[in-house]
């Protein structure tokens, strides 16, 4: 926590929504295994929230790519998101349908827009990417259908989607489609 405070939370460029700091947790089940219980993880996140508030933030919003509702709740996570839709990410209707399914089970699921998931270095075959038209359709649907449906949830949910953009070797995606990827 002291390292995060010194190197991240006190940096004016740190990601915020309003006056709330944001942190994304990857591999929540592994964190629970390391800490020994969901209660221990929640206690640590509660401690982190309090430390962040001492810096002048209103709160800390915690996201995780975990999609197990019970685990998210027990650990005090505010919302789930998807790391990526893999190869199906080139299909906007798959993303929309999958988001609807996740919203049924999770405390909150952040609509996650993906242009696809290109595993070229691992599979030696390029996966398709979403077209510019389908990207526009997907983002418009998230903006006009999903975000307004969150009116009974915390205010930050009404304006927030996740853009799946991983640039690791073997997990290439793009922030947006272009004529260069056709």
């Amino acid at each position: 926590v002291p390292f995060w405070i010194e190197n991240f939370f006190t940096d004016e460029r740190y990601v915020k929504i309003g006056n709330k700091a944001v942190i994304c947790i990857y591999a929540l089940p592994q964190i629970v295994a390391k800490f020994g219980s969901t209660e221990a993880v929640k206690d640590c996140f509660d401690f982190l929230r309090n430390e962040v508030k001492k810096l002048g933030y209103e709160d800390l919003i915690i996201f995780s790519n975990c999609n197990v509702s019970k685990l998210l709740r027990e650990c005090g996570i505010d919302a789930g998101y998807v790391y990526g839709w893999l190869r199906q990410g080139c299909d906007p209707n798959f993303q929309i349908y999958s988001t609807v399914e996740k919203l049924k089970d999770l405390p909150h699921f952040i609509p996650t827009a993906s242009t696809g998931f290109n595993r070229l270095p691992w599979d030696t075959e390029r996966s398709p990417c979403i077209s510019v038209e389908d990207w526009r359709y997907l983002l418009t649907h998230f903006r006009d259908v999903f975000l307004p449906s969150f009116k009974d949830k915390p205010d930050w949910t009404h304006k927030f989607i996740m853009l799946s953009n991983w640039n690791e070797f073997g997990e290439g995606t793009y922030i947006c489609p272009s004529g260069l990827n056709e």
Side-chain angles (χ1 to χ4, degrees), residues 52-148:
V52 164
K53 288 176 185 176
K54 290 177 187 176
L55 298 172
Y57 288 102
E58 183 181 330
D59 202 353
L60 176 66
I61 301 171
I62 306 173
F63 302 153
S64 176
N65 71 322
C66 176
N67 60 9
V68 179
S69 180
K70 182 178 182 205
L71 189 59
L72 289 173
R73 283 190 178 92
E74 289 178 359
C75 290
I77 304 293
D78 297 298
Y81 67 93
V82 70
Y83 178 80
W85 295 115
L86 302 176
R87 289 187 174 135
Q88 300 94 330
C90 64
D91 179 352
N93 291 312
F94 173 84
Q95 293 186 57
I96 290 167
Y97 171 79
S98 299
T99 298
V100 168
E101 290 302 303
K102 293 194 179 301
L103 281 167
K104 289 179 185 176
D105 297 325
L106 299 175
H108 179 66
F109 179 75
I110 301 165
T112 307
S114 174
T115 60
F117 195 80
N118 192 1
R119 294 172 45 104
L120 178 63
W122 291 338
D123 293 343
T124 68
E125 186 176 312
R126 185 173 293 281
S127 302
C129 290
I130 200 167
S131 69
V132 173
E133 295 78 23
D134 283 346
W135 183 245
R136 182 177 295 113
Y137 165 72
L138 175 66
L139 295 178
T140 301
H141 187 86
F142 282 170
R143 181 192 68 202
D144 296 347
V145 177
F146 285 129
L147 295 182

